[in-house]
Amino acid sequence: MTTFLRDTTTILSREFKPALRDSGGLLFEMGQPLLFLFLFGSLLDGAVGSSWQWFVPGILVMMCLTGPMSTGYTLLVELIGGSMERILVTPLNRTAMLVGKSAKAMLTLLVQAVLIILLALPLGFELHAVGVLAGLTQLMIFGVGLGALSYVLAIKSAPSGTLFYVVSQSVLFPLLLLSGVLLPLETAPAWMRAVAQVNPVTYVVEAQRALFSGDLTHPSILYGTASAIALAALGLHLGNRALRKGL
């Protein structure tokens, strides 16, 4: 366990150093979520009840999808450039390598999420501290699974990277639209609601909205947490196997 923690910290430090040198890049990544928050969120004011309690969790889930899923691109660049091969000849634990890379994406997401919440407070967002903490924890678990799956996709896509771009772009937006992140699904066509029921992101979105509203006993929280844990377990399993066998 000591070796695992040491290797995880080593990878996390390696991943974070470029991000700290380019802090402007982190702020640039927040451009689209902020645009949705201030413009789209204002359009929904009064249309979905307490709009900010409804919309802020949706924005955070959207960030959780786009951020960790895009982190596979970093691994793809390392695979194409050959730097990953130099890491693999070291005695670093492969699972620690995966967890360290995913943890970097999660810490970045956590910082961005806190900033989004703080910016939403003057707009009318009500802070339910326990629910927000529980919601962010759930998002971290969900994001770890997404990040790990993006690494699997990057490994399978090397060296051309074509598969990574095709799959990430063709899967990401349907997952967003069919989870009710931006618009309520209650008025959607029956077929769309049916598809949303098999979309794991839908359950995470519903759980996030319940938690951020302070409703800690809502049944959706159980389903959302189960979806997040299941995806994290699947992602780490497939990611670990891909790092051990696919490289």
Side-chain angles (χ1 to χ4, degrees):
M1 181 58 69
T2 301
T3 302
F4 176 80
L5 293 175
R6 183 198 62 203
D7 290 350
T8 301
T9 303
T10 299
I11 293 296
L12 178 60
S13 175
R14 175 184 179 273
E15 294 292 319
F16 244 116
K17 286 179 179 179
L20 292 176
R21 288 195 295 265
D22 184 27
S23 56
L26 296 178
L27 296 176
F28 178 78
E29 291 180 12
M30 294 184 61
Q32 187 180 51
L34 288 175
L35 185 65
F36 276 105
L37 179 70
F38 288 111
L39 298 182
F40 202 87
S42 298
L43 292 174
L44 289 175
D45 193 14
V48 289
S50 180
S51 63
W52 297 112
Q53 303 302 127
W54 187 91
F55 195 66
V56 169
I59 288 292
L60 298 184
V61 173
M62 182 176 73
M63 292 171 59
C64 189
L65 280 170
T66 57
M69 282 297 288
S70 65
T71 54
Y73 175 76
T74 304
L75 178 60
L76 184 60
V77 171
E78 292 179 343
L79 289 171
I80 295 174
S83 61
M84 179 55 69
E85 294 179 0
R86 293 192 290 271
I87 297 176
L88 291 174
V89 298
T90 67
L92 285 171
N93 182 281
R94 297 295 185 263
T95 304
M97 192 180 302
L98 178 65
V99 173
K101 285 179 171 291
S102 299
K104 181 262 181 180
M106 290 305 94
L107 289 176
T108 302
L109 174 63
L110 180 61
V111 172
Q112 293 174 333
V114 171
L115 289 175
I116 288 288
I117 292 170
L118 292 176
L119 290 172
L121 289 175
L123 301 176
F125 175 74
E126 296 180 8
L127 183 64
H128 299 277
V130 176
V132 167
L133 289 175
L136 292 177
T137 301
Q138 187 185 86
L139 279 182
M140 296 301 104
I141 297 172
F142 186 58
V144 165
L146 290 173
L149 289 175
S150 74
Y151 291 131
V152 175
L153 183 59
I155 292 170
K156 299 297 183 182
S157 302
S160 68
T162 302
L163 179 65
F164 181 85
Y165 301 119
V166 171
V167 174
S168 61
Q169 293 301 316
S170 61
V171 171
L172 182 61
F173 290 106
L175 283 176
L176 280 172
L177 294 175
L178 294 173
S179 64
V181 164
L182 299 177
L183 292 170
L185 292 173
E186 287 77 9
T187 57
W191 69 266
M192 188 176 291
R193 295 197 301 271
V195 174
Q197 292 302 310
V198 297
N199 180 5
V201 184
T202 302
Y203 299 101
V204 175
V205 172
E206 292 176 350
Q208 288 292 303
R209 286 175 175 149
L211 288 168
F212 275 69
S213 296
D215 188 358
L216 304 181
T217 60
H218 197 279
S220 63
I221 297 173
L222 178 61
Y223 298 119
T225 302
S227 297
I229 293 174
L231 187 68
L234 176 64
L236 289 174
H237 171 70
L238 295 178
N240 184 52
R241 188 171 66 176
L243 281 175
R244 290 179 181 275
K245 297 182 178 180
L247 293 175

CSV table of all heavy atoms in Angstrom, one decimal, residues 5 87 101 104-105 228:
chain,number,residue,atom,x,y,z
A,5,LEU,N,0.7,4.2,-2.9
A,5,LEU,CA,0.5,5.6,-2.6
A,5,LEU,C,1.6,6.4,-3.1
A,5,LEU,O,1.4,7.5,-3.6
A,5,LEU,CB,0.2,5.8,-1.1
A,5,LEU,CG,-1.0,5.2,-0.5
A,5,LEU,CD1,-1.1,5.4,1.0
A,5,LEU,CD2,-2.3,5.8,-1.1
A,87,ILE,N,8.0,5.8,-19.4
A,87,ILE,CA,7.4,5.6,-18.1
A,87,ILE,C,7.1,4.1,-17.8
A,87,ILE,O,7.3,3.7,-16.7
A,87,ILE,CB,6.0,6.4,-18.0
A,87,ILE,CG1,6.3,7.9,-18.1
A,87,ILE,CG2,5.3,6.1,-16.6
A,87,ILE,CD1,5.0,8.7,-18.1
A,101,LYS,N,-3.3,9.5,-12.8
A,101,LYS,CA,-3.8,10.3,-13.9
A,101,LYS,C,-5.2,10.7,-13.7
A,101,LYS,O,-5.6,11.9,-14.0
A,101,LYS,CB,-3.6,9.5,-15.2
A,101,LYS,CG,-2.1,9.4,-15.7
A,101,LYS,CD,-2.1,8.6,-17.0
A,101,LYS,CE,-0.7,8.6,-17.6
A,101,LYS,NZ,-0.4,9.9,-18.1
A,104,LYS,N,-5.6,13.6,-11.1
A,104,LYS,CA,-5.3,14.9,-11.6
A,104,LYS,C,-6.6,15.6,-12.2
A,104,LYS,O,-6.9,16.7,-12.0
A,104,LYS,CB,-4.2,14.8,-12.6
A,104,LYS,CG,-3.8,16.2,-13.2
A,104,LYS,CD,-4.4,16.5,-14.5
A,104,LYS,CE,-3.9,17.8,-15.1
A,104,LYS,NZ,-4.5,18.1,-16.4
A,105,ALA,N,-7.3,14.8,-13.0
A,105,ALA,CA,-8.5,15.3,-13.7
A,105,ALA,C,-9.6,15.6,-12.6
A,105,ALA,O,-10.3,16.6,-12.8
A,105,ALA,CB,-9.0,14.3,-14.7
A,228,ALA,N,-22.6,5.9,-10.4
A,228,ALA,CA,-21.3,6.4,-10.3
A,228,ALA,C,-20.3,5.4,-9.9
A,228,ALA,O,-19.2,5.2,-10.5
A,228,ALA,CB,-21.3,7.6,-9.4
